[in-house]
Amino acid sequence: MSYAYLFKYIIIGDTGVGKSCLLLQFTDKRFQPVHDLTIGVEFGARMITIDSKQIKLQIWDTAGQEAFRSITRSYYRGAAGALLVYDITRRETFNHLTTWLEDARQHSNSNMVIMLIGNKSDLETRREVKKEEGEAFAREHGLVFMETSAKTAANVEEAFINTAKEIYEKIQEGVFDINNEANGIKIGPQHSPTNPSLPGTGGSGGSQGSGCC
Amino acid sequence: MEYFKNSLKSVLGAPPPGTQMTGAETVETLLARVSTSTLLEDRRDACRAIKALSKQYRLEVGAQGMDILRQVLELDRNDPEIIGYCLDALCNVTSKNILKDECENNANVGEQFSEMFLKNPENVSLVLSFLEEYDFRVRWPAVKLLTSLTNSRPKDIQDLILVSPMGVSKLMDLLSENREVIRNDAVLLLISLTKSNANIQKIVAFENAFDKLLNIISEEEYTNGDIVVEDCLLLMLNLLKNNTSNINFFKEGSYIQKLAPMFILPDNLEEVGWSPQKISNFHCVLQVVRTLVSPNNPAQIVTSCQKTLRNANLLESFCNILMASGVPADILTEIINTVGEVIRGNLTNQEYFANVLAPSNPPRPALVVLIMSMVNEKQPFTLRCAVLYCFECFLYKNEIGQELVVQTLLPSSTGNTTVTTGQLLCSGLFSNDSLSNWFCAVALSHCLIENPSQKEQLLRVLLATNLGAQPVTLLNQCGVFLQHTSKLQAKLGILMLISMWMAHCPAAVKIFLNVPGAMAFLTAQTSASEFDNNEELLQGLCAFIMGLCVLFNDNSVQNYSKENLAQLIEKRVGLETYCKKLSEVSRHEVYARAAKQPQIKAKHSNELLLEFEFCKLFKVMECLIIQALGVQRDLSNGISELSLSEHENALLLQYKDLIRDQDKKLQDLQKKYNHLQKEFNELKAQMEELQQTNTQLVDQNTLLKAQLSAGTTQVTNIIHEIQAPAPPPTVDSQPVFIHGNNDALLERIKKLEADNERLEKVEEELAEKTSEIESYQRDQDDLLQLLTFQDTKLNKFKERLRQLGALPHSDESSSDVSDNEKDKESGPSLL
Ligand SMILES: Nc1nc2c(ncn2[C@@H]2O[C@H](COP(=O)(O)OP(=O)(O)OP(=O)(O)O)[C@@H](O)[C@H]2O)c(=O)[nH]1
Ligand SMILES: [Mg+2]
């Protein structure tokens, strides 16, 4: 399938904040209630449309546990966008944002778009971090901000798509060097090389058989 | 070598006549030169010489030079030449291979030096940083050193690369190198680095490995390219094998489509033929495809990869190659396996395959042509196995396909004169080739898996046996053939077919029970008490079939009702024997091998005895059968219990209690046994570990000794040097200078002054060395102490093992001990 651009994302943040759930909700439109601890890194992908252009998102969901921190660092440099996630029901995940941000800024390319996400907005009763605090943090550090729920899917699409829009705009402004693959951006193949609508059955097999000898 | 000696002479200065330096001494002197000389050129020359000596004297270079060489890497990093020599020398020192002119004793020296080098994580960062140096003299040896370290201590370096920031990035940049030697060696390095480490595999993939590799492959003209294509494909294989995340990335990144050019056969293939390299390349790319759709992967991934492979017309390409002429047999075999896995369990792909026609005249379905080769004794064994596997894949979860095959056997099919799959299978089933019998039986059994209606349909199949005789049913013929054939392989094949057929199919059981002699045959086999050579499998399978006859019996055959059969088993065979026969099967290594994966894997035809799907059936049914027999007995007891007298009843209860007790005891003992077994294994592992540490210590000991002796000679040398220059010998030995003018004399004096200074330095060094020796001695003592300690521990464990009954009181263990004692004795004497 052809696309105009391909963006690489990473999702980072403390363990248990819902990174894998956000990805699953975005790619499969499902919610996974059990915490399935991510080991290392997992990959996911989806196509979106911006400005009537097809954009392929390739997303690397990283492990939040401390033990995997150095592995996570290997993914910063090649990413165009990062979702930095905290859990609005656990203040410590918000407190750790500074460390995450420092790590990201140190290892990524300077143009990487970072989207700050306060996840689990469906758990209003257990909220420990006010929305205003998230907004303030984002403003202070020049990030985009959004509250989401991987459970109800509220704002999940928007989070991924708005990040893409931001990157797309930066490309239009010429900020990104799109020819440098290390930026996490690729231009799509100029023309679609294969014909995906070929019926793989019946007659074509027969004609192939007689055609090849 | 001569050149080498000359160049050495120029570096070292001519040795005093009459004295011959040993290699070790030379190394020593050179290293001293490297660490003390203030002139870069001096150090460079010395390093060049060290590099040249590092193969033959790697023990010396490694033991004494590791730190010095590392220092050079840090301090002289602006001089590409000297860095190159150092990296090369380290590469030789850490090599896992036994180098030329080296004795076997040095077998794991490379690993030990690698371990030493990797102990300091900074060293890896240092070597990685040299990858950024563009100069060929630095970058290439840096790649080679990393490769050498990786081959010697893969785990260590993998862990270090993971924590060194941008480590993988730096390696990946090498894939875009325009100097091919470096690029190709980088591919080899990455192959070693990615081996069984999912984290590195994922990072490498994230760093655009697939793009880069496919670029190289296309630049090298795909499968026509040289060995670097094969290496690139091997690296891809490493990245994908058992790595779902990367497979998903590969699929989502549209890389499957980019494989397509690899499968286009040139029109003039028959003229150009298949070079060995092309065969290897092709083989590898097929492996890449197969890892995407391997039955071991999660079903969801397999299905979506299968779909992409079809949509990208790769399935079509595979089928074209399948039907092309002149394809080498091993490629054909692998293509057949690949087609199998690309269609396995995917209805659309299976349908596509069913419609592929072979370019024969008249055109025949590819399936028929394949089955023809399967029953053809002249075809290579592995190819025949592949055909069976492919056929199984075609039938897997494919009711329509199963029906299609069975239909070709039914009498109703309208006067068709062309050969059909069914006919081929039927004639192969009873032919003289036992391998064909086995293949066809398994193939037919796959038409019946989880398909009750085809089981019924197949019962309708009639065979004309002899001219004029009544036609018999296929199942009947199986029962007869079973008794007549003498070949184990054929018997097992038929038995597997019959079991698949009778499971959940009372109508089949009924027909089978009526086959003359069949039950007698089964009973005889099941109750036989002796067996040789895999016959336990035959007996076990016969027992299994008897069990199925009980399980799926609708009581319609007079003498063989459920109850009759159960009693037959109990009386004639005995339940205990019966269960033992069954368990003989699932315990057999042939069973374990077959149950591992759907693909039929065997080196020789006589290894083919059991098959994957049968093993699955056996596993499920074994429990049910044992249950059924137990239930049966209780039921008959239940009926008779009513008619028992009170006394008898009490007795019965007593026995039941007894049995229960014994059962409990049995279970307890079993538990204890398991526990002990576990403990034994743990102890064994511990012992092995200790033994390993022991050898390691011994090795380290040797190393230290080498260092020590080297240190001693150095000291003696220094002492000589100190004593020697007391009278000014330079005047006599080099009269040339005396005849020179004043200037020369002045220079001479200056030089002498310098010499004096050096002398002081040497004295200082002497003091240093002496303290070093002392510390070595201390180390040595510590090590020896540790050794003794380990020894006692080892003996203690051995004693414990012996107490546990795991080790016999054999001579072996005692000779072990004395070996250790010898070590202990010889240790100090060498000091
Ligand atoms: N109520 C609610 N629960 C959520 C939400 N998102 C995630 N969870 C739950 O939070 C737990 C952790 O989610 P994960 O997505 O596995 O966490 P993670 O960030 O990937 O954790 P690591 O993989 O260890 O880094 C799971 O039990 C989820 O069900 C959400 O939006 N609302
Ligand atoms: Mg996770």
Side-chain angles (χ1 to χ4, degrees), chain B residues 562-610:
Chain B
K562 235 180 178 61
E563 201 171 328
N564 283 346
L565 280 175
Q567 261 169 23
L568 181 73
I569 291 175
E570 203 174 339
K571 299 238 168 73
R572 286 284 307 279
V573 186
L575 270 181
E576 210 174 300
T577 317
Y578 180 81
C579 291
K580 209 180 119 226
K581 294 279 172 196
L582 278 187
S583 65
E584 209 82 70
V585 177
S586 45
R587 277 212 319 254
H588 206 284
E589 59 155 328
V590 167
Y591 179 94
R593 228 184 304 135
K596 222 188 243 160
Q597 79 282 312
Q599 192 188 342
I600 297 123
K601 281 188 178 162
K603 287 206 177 67
H604 300 290
S605 70
N606 55 13
E607 287 170 22
L608 284 188
L609 297 172
L610 297 182

Side-chain angles (χ1 to χ4, degrees), chain B residues 31 34-35 43 46-48 50-51 54 61-62 64-76 82-83 85-91 93 117 126 130:
Chain B
L31 284 168
V34 173
S35 60
R43 292 198 300 273
C47 277
R48 186 198 294 131
I50 289 169
K51 169 195 160 178
S54 60
V61 174
Q64 303 162 44
M66 187 85 81
D67 286 330
I68 297 173
L69 292 175
R70 180 174 47 205
Q71 251 167 26
V72 174
L73 291 183
E74 269 166 16
L75 300 177
D76 285 332
I82 196 170
I83 297 293
Y85 297 143
C86 278
L87 292 170
D88 273 335
L90 284 168
C91 181
V93 165
F117 187 77
L126 191 63
F130 288 122

Side-chain angles (χ1 to χ4, degrees), chain A residues 15-16 18-21 31-33 35 38 64 119-120 122 150-151:
Chain A
T15 179
K19 299 182 293 297
S20 301
C21 287
F31 177 67
Q32 155 84 0
H35 185 185
T38 305
N119 187 41
K120 309 200 185 176
D122 55 297
K151 188 175 179 183

Side-chain angles (χ1 to χ4, degrees), chain B residues 620-771:
Chain B
V620 176
M621 290 297 163
E622 187 187 14
C623 307
L624 292 181
I625 290 170
I626 290 172
Q627 240 173 38
L629 288 176
V631 165
Q632 202 69 34
R633 198 174 43 154
D634 275 354
L635 210 81
S636 56
N637 280 348
I639 296 161
S640 45
E641 245 165 34
L642 292 175
S643 55
L644 289 176
S645 71
E646 214 166 318
H647 170 70
E648 283 167 332
N649 221 342
L651 211 66
L652 191 75
L653 282 175
Q654 223 178 318
Y655 275 123
K656 275 188 179 172
D657 283 340
L658 191 74
I659 291 169
R660 219 166 282 137
D661 274 347
Q662 284 177 340
D663 212 50
K664 199 166 159 288
K665 250 186 225 156
L666 198 71
Q667 265 175 10
D668 284 345
L669 282 172
Q670 183 74 37
K671 241 188 244 162
K672 222 183 245 167
Y673 170 70
N674 285 344
H675 186 75
L676 282 172
Q677 184 79 29
K678 213 177 107 197
E679 213 166 57
F680 168 57
N681 283 339
E682 273 166 18
L683 283 172
K684 208 162 96 182
Q686 260 173 29
M687 195 174 85
E688 264 159 25
E689 214 173 285
L690 280 172
Q691 259 162 358
Q692 228 167 23
T693 351
N694 201 350
T695 30
Q696 257 170 29
L697 284 172
V698 171
D699 285 337
Q700 269 172 28
N701 198 354
T702 327
L703 227 146
L704 281 173
K705 265 183 245 155
Q707 283 176 333
L708 196 67
S709 67
T712 326
T713 39
Q714 212 168 349
V715 172
T716 353
N717 279 351
I718 294 166
I719 292 171
H720 285 325
E721 250 179 277
I722 299 166
Q723 286 164 348
T730 36
V731 180
D732 293 333
S733 61
Q734 303 203 318
V736 191
F737 284 100
I738 301 179
H739 300 301
N741 51 27
N742 272 350
D743 283 348
L745 275 173
L746 273 177
E747 211 175 270
R748 197 71 226 136
I749 290 167
K750 254 190 235 157
K751 214 171 166 212
L752 276 173
E753 270 165 10
D755 269 353
N756 247 342
E757 251 173 57
R758 231 187 83 214
L759 209 65
E760 271 162 32
K761 245 201 235 156
V762 166
E763 260 163 359
E764 257 171 52
E765 230 175 75
L766 176 65
E768 228 178 87
K769 289 289 167 200
T770 326
S771 72

Side-chain angles (χ1 to χ4, degrees), chain A residues 1 3 8 10 28 39-46 56 58 60 68 70-71 74-79 107 181-182 186 194-196 198 200-202 204-206 208-209 212-213, chain B residues 162-163 165-166 169 173 199 202-203 205-208 211-212 244-246 248-249 252-255 257-258 300 310-313 316 320 323-324 348 351-352 355-359:
Chain A
M1 259 169 269
Y3 49 82
K8 286 185 177 179
I10 52 172
D28 288 25
I39 304 294
V41 166
E42 286 302 322
F43 172 81
R46 212 189 102 177
K56 179 142 208 158
Q58 291 188 332
W60 277 265
F68 297 104
S70 64
I71 292 176
S74 306
Y75 291 85
Y76 286 115
R77 183 183 77 141
H107 294 100
E181 275 191 354
K186 263 202 267 183
T194 53
N195 178 4
L198 196 93
T201 49
S204 79
Q208 279 310 322
C212 78
C213 56
Chain B
L162 274 176
V163 296
M166 310 272 291
S169 291
D173 290 341
N199 283 322
K202 288 178 192 173
I203 299 174
F206 175 81
E207 294 272 358
N208 301 314
D211 281 317
K212 290 183 170 162
T244 318
S245 182
N246 273 358
N248 198 9
F249 174 52
E252 288 292 339
S254 310
Y255 296 112
Q257 287 85 335
K258 292 184 186 151
Q300 190 198 346
R310 183 186 65 247
N311 286 339
N313 297 332
E316 190 184 320
N320 286 341
M323 291 297 132
T348 326
E351 240 166 63
Y352 173 85
N355 287 307
V356 173
L357 289 181

Side-chain angles (χ1 to χ4, degrees), chain A residues 18-81:
Chain A
K19 299 182 293 297
S20 301
C21 287
L22 283 165
L23 178 60
L24 193 68
Q25 183 59 257
F26 181 61
T27 56
D28 288 25
K29 308 207 183 320
R30 283 192 290 134
F31 177 67
Q32 155 84 0
V34 201
H35 185 185
D36 195 353
L37 217 107
T38 305
I39 304 294
V41 166
E42 286 302 322
F43 172 81
R46 212 189 102 177
M47 197 78 93
I48 58 169
T49 314
I50 290 177
D51 205 10
S52 71
K53 285 205 169 64
Q54 294 278 81
I55 291 180
K56 179 142 208 158
L57 298 185
Q58 291 188 332
I59 305 148
W60 277 265
D61 165 34
T62 67
Q65 285 196 318
E66 188 64 42
F68 297 104
R69 206 54 53 90
S70 64
I71 292 176
T72 304
R73 288 196 190 107
S74 306
Y75 291 85
Y76 286 115
R77 183 183 77 141

Side-chain angles (χ1 to χ4, degrees), chain B residues 198-230:
Chain B
N199 283 322
I200 295 190
Q201 289 162 8
K202 288 178 192 173
I203 299 174
V204 168
F206 175 81
E207 294 272 358
N208 301 314
F210 294 126
D211 281 317
K212 290 183 170 162
L213 293 174
L214 285 163
N215 271 346
I216 299 177
I217 291 173
S218 88
E219 273 169 26
E220 301 282 334
E221 295 179 54
Y222 299 104
T223 49
N224 296 325
D226 61 18
I227 193 157
V228 72
V229 170
E230 184 179 346

